[in-house]
Amino acid sequence: MVEANKRIIMNKVLGIIILTFFLAALSPNSFAGGGSDMAPAKHHEFQLNHITMVEAETLVGKEGVYFFDVNTLELWAEGYIPGAIYFNVRDWKKILPENKDAVMVFYCANRLCNASEIAARAVMKLGYTGVRQMPDGIYGWRLSNRQTERP
C-alpha cells in the first residue's frame, strides 16, 4: 500500500515537471531577453560620477552643495539626508542652482533603483558639471545609521 502511494505521488510530481517544461517551451517570453532581438547595451552620453556615503556625509550642510532626493513622496516622508531637496516635482529645472559648477548629489532608494541615475544624467545634459550620484541611496544611508530628517 505504501509503495503504491509513493508511486502515485512520484507520477504526479513527474507529470507536473513535464507540464512545466512544456508550458515554458510554448511561452516566447520565458527566455532571457523576453524574446526581443539582440541589441548592444545602451551607451550613455554622460558617465556618472559616483560618490560614496562617506564622501557624501562630509558634504552635508556645506554651502554650495545640494543634495537631491529622487525618491517617491512616500519614501521622502520617511526621512531624507539633512538639507536634501525633493526632486520629483513637475518643473524640476526650477529647483536647480544657478551655478552650473555647484556640487549636486543625487540619490534614490538603493543600488537597484535607477531614478537618481536618470535625474543626474538629465541635469548633466543641461550643462551642470558638479553632478554626483550616490548608488547606496537613502536605504544605505539609513542602514549605516547616518542622520536623516523628515518634512
Side-chain angles (χ1 to χ4, degrees), residues 24-81:
L26 291 178
S27 174
N29 292 328
S30 65
F31 301 104
S36 299
D37 292 333
M38 293 290 289
K42 185 173 182 175
H43 173 73
H44 294 286
E45 182 179 348
F46 297 99
Q47 293 301 312
L48 292 176
N49 186 5
H50 292 126
I51 187 170
T52 66
M53 288 187 298
V54 172
E55 292 174 295
E57 189 174 36
T58 66
L59 298 176
V60 172
K62 289 203 173 175
E63 191 173 328
V65 177
Y66 302 86
F67 281 81
F68 290 100
D69 188 307
V70 194
N71 286 302
T72 63
L73 197 54
E74 294 82 7
L75 197 53
W76 163 264
E78 292 175 10
Y80 51 88
I81 294 175

Side-chain angles (χ1 to χ4, degrees), residues 68-71 73 85-96 119 122-123 126:
F68 290 100
D69 188 307
V70 194
N71 286 302
L73 197 54
I85 300 164
Y86 183 67
F87 190 81
N88 280 334
V89 294
R90 185 174 302 240
D91 200 1
W92 54 266
K93 292 177 185 174
K94 288 184 178 180
I95 63 174
L96 297 175
V123 169
L126 297 175

Side-chain angles (χ1 to χ4, degrees), residues 78-82 138 141-142 146-150:
E78 292 175 10
Y80 51 88
I81 294 175
I138 194 63
W141 190 268
R142 288 184 198 151
R146 287 180 165 82
Q147 184 180 1
T148 61
E149 57 186 36
R150 292 177 182 243

